[in-house]
Amino acid sequence: MEKKNIRIKDIAQLAGVSSGTVDRVLHNRGKVSEEALQKVLQTLKEIDYKPNLIARTLGTKKNFRIAVIIPDPSLDEYWAHSELGVRQAITDWHQYDVQIKTYFFDLYHKHSFEQVTHSVFHAKPDGVVIAPIFYHEALPFLQQCQANKIPFTVFNTNIPEVAPLSFIGQNLYESGRVAAELMCLGNLTEGIFAILHINEDSVNSIHLLDKQKGFEEYVQEKKLPDVKIKVLNIKDTEDPKDTKGIHELLLDDTLAGVYVTTSKGVSFIAELLYQKKQKAPRLIGYDLLPENIKYLEAGTISFLINQNAKHQTFLGVQQLVNYLFLKKEPPQNNLLPLEIITKENLSSYLRSAVPHF
Amino acid sequence: MEKKNIRIKDIAQLAGVSSGTVDRVLHNRGKVSEEALQKVLQTLKEIDYKPNLIARTLGTKKNFRIAVIIPDPSLDEYWAHSELGVRQAITDWHQYDVQIKTYFFDLYHKHSFEQVTHSVFHAKPDGVVIAPIFYHEALPFLQQCQANKIPFTVFNTNIPEVAPLSFIGQNLYESGRVAAELMCLGNLTEGIFAILHINEDSVNSIHLLDKQKGFEEYVQEKKLPDVKIKVLNIKDTEDPKDTKGIHELLLDDTLAGVYVTTSKGVSFIAELLYQKKQKAPRLIGYDLLPENIKYLEAGTISFLINQNAKHQTFLGVQQLVNYLFLKKEPPQNNLLPLEIITKENLSSYLRSAVPHF
DNA sequence: TTGAAAGCGCTAACAC
DNA sequence: GTGTTAGCGCTTTCAA
């Protein structure tokens, strides 16, 4: 019963070679005679060898440098959360020889993204974690990484063409469906449902369309003849020209619900509704930003769908480091659950920390 | 910048003692002179030493044996999920010298619980993970563990008196509030709300009362004069005497919602509602049991609150092993989020696995 | 191409 | 009490 674990030494003994040779075979580092190779492969086939990852890590002195590329957190609450995930990872790994360096780019200027990726590439890190917001600019960079065998994990938005080590994110279409479902709850089945894309950095808009599509299709499937869906794009909430549509919308008595597809936008609407103190439409938004929490607790926002920026980022780094450090292959796709946050379950979410690994 | 990490060796050097002494101080194994102790403590205060957990693990040859005590999974779907968490942990740790043995007891017979705890205690494991369903029987056992310095983590239901290494579970009062909140959504504010405790093993009933209280208080706070709450206890769904009340209830036209506090009970109600094809009251239950999933997808069940048995159990084992193996103190309380599952976000939950550590 | 051996940071046994 | 030392399983260097 007390099966001792099989060690490289054991394999060496069984195969009649030295442990060095076994190691060379295991990592096909070459410099192994055909004969020795066969002997080792043979014994490997016969037994179930699982390397001791802990010992491996200790044996490898290599000090990794990994680069995390995200939007500047000081410009955006959502990305501020994301950065917390990096922070977490940094402190987690600090004591080992893993240096995690964060590179910020300006969410609103693709040029700054290009600059950042250039300097990252120049720094030749051992791995990259990236939120590839700007598709067209990210693509060549990631291809470069690929060519140079720099592994990378991608989160927030995927770029499947470059086959990242892993992708962490959510299914946005389903996210839209969930929002629609929550909107329809309790026979809220007539009037206007508004979909608001607020303060979208234009690059993001493609993804917001996925949410919109999910929302629309759900409503369509429900066959609600008395529901009208209205879509509004608001570039800048500071610009009266842009917000005029919103004010009109909110005055409409038949407005039954508002779905804001961006995390930062919903508190703007909540604020307006809160001020006007009118019969409030149901309001659904994203993420546990401080402002959003405030209005969720006040009851102005009915639901928040949690995109869990912190967790996404943390997982991205985690999986990359595990891969580099422990040679542990992560799952290729990590679609996180679409968490529904209400006034009553909010605190249970705020309490529970990001899982530590 | 390239601060090398501080090793025990470094501390020894700084304090002018040997690494053996430092180790003794760090783990207060005694056999250290007051003088040496002070010198080491002093340098420890001056620097920020973080042990290399990886090296520590490798250095400790001890092979741990840990016992997991849960209800027999073959008797109960909920606990079947729980066991999956143990399985996960077993495979995770198998290759290291951690032997995890599961002990099942009969959920419906406290005597079997006693028997199991006896044999566990007899086996003198290095640690225990337990779902202490039977409070009165669990208490003396855990006190025994305490006295014998066998660390233990507790999940599902807490026994704070014995100060477990950690507790993993949910806040049941809040859980009830969430259920009530979901029940009231969309102005479902008149008629009967039924709270059903179904197939409760009598020991569990105390905890179900927490849920009930949360539900009732939420409704009370909402001040809904047209809502009546009805509480039913159904011991055995096979017993016509017990189920008579249910059938009557379901015939009542003013029945607006049904909240089933146990994970196994809700599919029974769903089945009845499904058959009768009547104007369905809103149905809320617990957990992603196969039957429950079926009725959630069919629309008969509106919401499931996920208690995440698998994750709870997995975490329990995980934290104990981390403590034993890496000497990593877990957080004392782990109240997991109250996850709201609907038809539309279900698949996102089914997809996402238990986080691997 | 191969084997032997040092060493990663820590633990624990063993002399002194 | 204290310092020394031999591992833990793996990687990696260095002779042979």
Side-chain angles (χ1 to χ4, degrees):
Chain A
M1 286 296 90
E2 295 274 342
K3 262 278 189 64
K4 264 270 164 248
N5 224 284
I6 294 148
R7 285 123 66 238
I8 284 193
K9 220 190 224 176
D10 301 323
I11 301 174
Q13 201 162 20
L14 288 171
V17 297
S18 79
S19 54
T21 304
V22 176
D23 186 72
R24 278 182 282 263
V25 172
L26 285 172
H27 295 76
N28 38 28
R29 295 195 225 284
K31 312 207 175 225
V32 171
S33 68
E34 185 58 29
E35 191 196 341
L37 178 67
Q38 288 312 326
K39 282 195 290 187
V40 173
L41 288 180
Q42 185 54 35
T43 45
L44 276 178
K45 203 175 298 175
E46 285 161 16
I47 57 160
D48 178 35
Y49 170 66
K50 299 202 173 184
N52 183 327
L53 300 183
I54 292 176
R56 174 181 311 196
T57 308
L58 197 59
T60 324
K61 31 185 135 290
K62 180 136 182 50
N63 47 347
F64 292 106
R65 292 178 309 116
I66 92 157
V68 181
I69 307 177
I70 55 172
D72 190 335
S74 69
L75 299 177
D76 189 290
E77 277 287 351
Y78 179 81
W79 292 105
H81 268 204
S82 172
E83 202 222 347
L84 293 180
V86 189
R87 291 255 178 97
Q88 170 90 260
I90 289 179
T91 56
D92 268 28
W93 290 106
H94 171 73
Q95 54 171 312
Y96 307 101
D97 258 352
V98 180
Q99 292 165 49
I100 300 169
K101 187 163 174 193
T102 324
Y103 294 78
F104 298 135
F105 61 90
D106 183 332
L107 185 57
Y108 302 100
H109 298 294
K110 57 175 70 172
H111 186 60
S112 92
F113 180 79
E114 278 186 299
Q115 280 182 323
V116 164
T117 54
H118 277 143
S119 56
V120 166
F121 188 72
H122 186 76
K124 295 274 181 223
D126 297 299
V128 171
V129 181
I130 185 171
I133 301 293
F134 296 97
Y135 175 83
H136 286 294
E137 287 72 18
L139 194 58
F141 168 64
L142 293 177
Q143 283 166 339
Q144 258 185 328
C145 289
Q146 232 174 358
N148 287 270
K149 300 211 181 311
I150 300 175
F152 52 89
T153 62
V154 157
F155 67 102
N156 195 266
T157 48
N158 199 3
I159 303 200
E161 300 91 300
V162 290
L165 183 61
S166 78
F167 164 67
I168 294 120
Q170 287 184 326
N171 185 316
L172 301 184
Y173 172 79
E174 287 181 9
S175 188
R177 289 188 66 95
V178 171
E181 179 186 38
L182 295 174
M183 197 63 93
C184 294
L185 278 179
N187 298 317
L188 200 60
T189 49
E190 56 176 31
I192 294 173
F193 287 171
I195 301 176
L196 266 51
H197 304 304
I198 298 185
N199 271 347
E200 51 170 301
D201 28 283
S202 56
V203 280
N204 204 359
S205 51
I206 323 142
H207 305 110
L208 299 184
L209 287 183
D210 276 349
K211 290 181 179 173
Q212 178 178 331
K213 190 174 167 213
F215 190 95
E216 289 172 336
E217 288 195 8
Y218 180 91
V219 173
Q220 204 171 356
E221 286 170 22
K222 273 276 200 166
K223 300 204 198 315
L224 304 170
D226 301 327
V227 165
K228 288 260 168 312
I229 293 182
K230 231 182 196 169
V231 181
L232 258 74
N233 284 283
I234 296 96
K235 276 267 168 357
D236 181 3
T237 49
E238 308 287 294
D239 184 350
K241 196 163 79 263
D242 272 14
T243 56
K244 186 159 155 274
I246 293 184
H247 288 285
E248 283 172 14
L249 183 75
L250 294 186
L251 288 178
D252 192 327
D253 267 350
T254 64
L255 180 67
V258 178
Y259 168 41
V260 182
T261 55
T262 50
S263 56
K264 354 158 195 179
V266 70
S267 62
F268 174 73
I269 303 296
E271 175 67 25
L272 291 179
L273 289 175
Y274 194 76
Q275 282 172 1
K276 301 204 173 180
K277 287 191 171 46
Q278 64 197 34
K279 180 185 73 59
R282 184 171 290 171
L283 184 54
I284 298 175
Y286 281 94
D287 294 327
L288 303 181
L289 310 185
E291 282 290 291
N292 296 2
I293 288 176
K294 194 176 97 189
Y295 288 111
L296 184 69
E297 281 173 338
T300 318
I301 294 176
S302 300
F303 300 101
L304 290 170
I305 299 171
N306 194 9
Q307 301 185 114
N308 231 328
K310 183 178 168 187
H311 192 200
Q312 282 193 31
T313 317
F314 179 72
L315 258 187
V317 180
Q318 204 63 16
Q319 295 191 346
L320 181 67
V321 176
N322 277 335
Y323 173 74
L324 252 26
F325 210 52
L326 308 174
K327 295 214 165 38
K328 228 184 184 175
E329 291 270 354
Q332 211 180 313
N333 264 286
N334 305 65
L335 292 176
L336 302 186
L338 297 160
E339 298 173 340
I340 298 171
I341 315 295
T342 66
K343 190 175 173 179
E344 294 299 326
N345 76 351
L346 171 66
S347 66
S348 80
Y349 274 92
L350 294 179
R351 254 199 313 265
S352 73
V354 167
H356 263 248
F357 295 76
Chain B
M1 288 295 88
E2 296 274 340
K3 263 277 188 64
K4 263 271 163 246
N5 224 281
I6 295 147
R7 285 124 65 238
I8 284 192
K9 223 189 224 178
D10 302 322
I11 301 175
Q13 201 162 20
L14 288 171
V17 296
S18 78
S19 56
T21 304
V22 176
D23 187 70
R24 278 182 284 261
V25 172
L26 286 172
H27 300 312
N28 36 32
R29 296 196 225 282
K31 313 212 175 223
V32 170
S33 70
E34 185 58 29
E35 192 197 339
L37 178 68
Q38 287 311 326
K39 283 196 289 188
V40 173
L41 288 180
Q42 185 55 35
T43 45
L44 276 178
K45 203 176 295 175
E46 284 163 16
I47 56 158
D48 178 38
Y49 170 65
K50 299 206 174 181
N52 183 327
L53 299 182
I54 292 176
R56 174 179 293 176
T57 309
L58 199 58
T60 327
K61 36 184 130 289
K62 180 132 181 53
N63 46 345
F64 291 105
R65 290 178 309 115
I66 93 157
V68 181
I69 307 178
I70 55 171
D72 189 336
S74 69
L75 300 177
D76 189 291
E77 276 287 352
Y78 179 81
W79 293 105
H81 267 204
S82 173
E83 202 223 348
L84 293 180
V86 189
R87 292 253 177 99
Q88 170 89 261
I90 289 179
T91 56
D92 267 28
W93 290 105
H94 173 72
Q95 56 170 314
Y96 306 102
D97 257 351
V98 180
Q99 292 166 50
I100 300 168
K101 187 164 174 195
T102 324
Y103 295 78
F104 299 136
F105 61 90
D106 183 333
L107 184 57
Y108 301 100
H109 298 293
K110 56 175 71 171
H111 186 59
S112 93
F113 179 79
E114 279 185 297
Q115 279 182 324
V116 163
T117 55
H118 276 142
S119 57
V120 166
F121 187 72
H122 187 76
K124 296 274 181 221
D126 297 299
V128 171
V129 181
I130 184 171
I133 301 294
F134 295 98
Y135 175 84
H136 286 294
E137 287 71 19
L139 194 57
F141 168 65
L142 292 177
Q143 283 166 339
Q144 259 185 327
C145 289
Q146 233 173 359
N148 286 271
K149 301 213 181 311
I150 299 175
F152 52 89
T153 62
V154 157
F155 67 102
N156 195 264
T157 49
N158 199 2
I159 303 201
E161 300 91 300
V162 291
L165 182 62
S166 79
F167 164 67
I168 294 119
Q170 285 184 326
N171 184 315
L172 301 185
Y173 171 80
E174 287 182 9
S175 188
R177 289 188 65 94
V178 171
E181 180 186 37
L182 295 174
M183 197 62 94
C184 293
L185 277 179
N187 298 317
L188 200 58
T189 50
E190 56 177 31
I192 294 173
F193 286 172
I195 300 176
L196 266 51
H197 305 303
I198 298 185
N199 271 348
E200 52 170 303
D201 28 283
S202 56
V203 280
N204 204 358
S205 50
I206 324 145
H207 306 111
L208 299 185
L209 287 184
D210 275 350
K211 291 181 180 173
Q212 178 177 330
K213 190 174 166 213
F215 190 95
E216 288 172 336
E217 287 194 9
Y218 180 91
V219 173
Q220 203 172 355
E221 286 170 23
K222 273 277 201 170
K223 301 207 198 316
L224 304 170
D226 301 327
V227 165
K228 289 261 169 309
I229 293 184
K230 230 181 200 171
V231 180
L232 259 73
N233 282 283
I234 296 97
K235 277 268 170 349
D236 182 4
T237 48
E238 307 286 294
D239 183 349
K241 195 161 82 272
D242 272 15
T243 56
K244 187 158 154 276
I246 293 185
H247 287 284
E248 284 171 15
L249 183 77
L250 294 187
L251 288 177
D252 192 327
D253 267 350
T254 65
L255 181 68
V258 178
Y259 168 41
V260 182
T261 56
T262 50
S263 56
K264 0 168 190 173
V266 69
S267 61
F268 174 73
I269 303 296
E271 175 66 26
L272 291 178
L273 289 176
Y274 194 76
Q275 282 171 2
K276 302 202 173 178
K277 287 192 171 45
Q278 64 198 32
K279 180 183 77 60
R282 183 172 291 171
L283 184 53
I284 298 175
Y286 281 94
D287 293 328
L288 303 181
L289 310 186
E291 282 290 291
N292 296 2
I293 288 176
K294 194 176 97 188
Y295 288 112
L296 184 69
E297 281 172 338
T300 319
I301 294 176
S302 300
F303 301 101
L304 290 170
I305 298 172
N306 194 9
Q307 300 187 114
N308 231 327
K310 183 177 168 189
H311 192 201
Q312 282 194 31
T313 317
F314 179 72
L315 258 188
V317 181
Q318 204 62 15
Q319 295 191 345
L320 181 66
V321 176
N322 276 337
Y323 174 73
L324 253 25
F325 210 53
L326 309 174
K327 296 209 168 45
K328 227 184 184 178
E329 291 271 355
Q332 212 180 311
N333 266 285
N334 304 65
L335 292 176
L336 301 186
L338 297 160
E339 298 173 340
I340 298 171
I341 316 294
T342 65
K343 190 175 173 180
E344 294 299 326
N345 76 352
L346 171 66
S347 66
S348 80
Y349 275 92
L350 294 179
R351 254 198 314 261
S352 74
V354 167
H356 263 249
F357 293 77

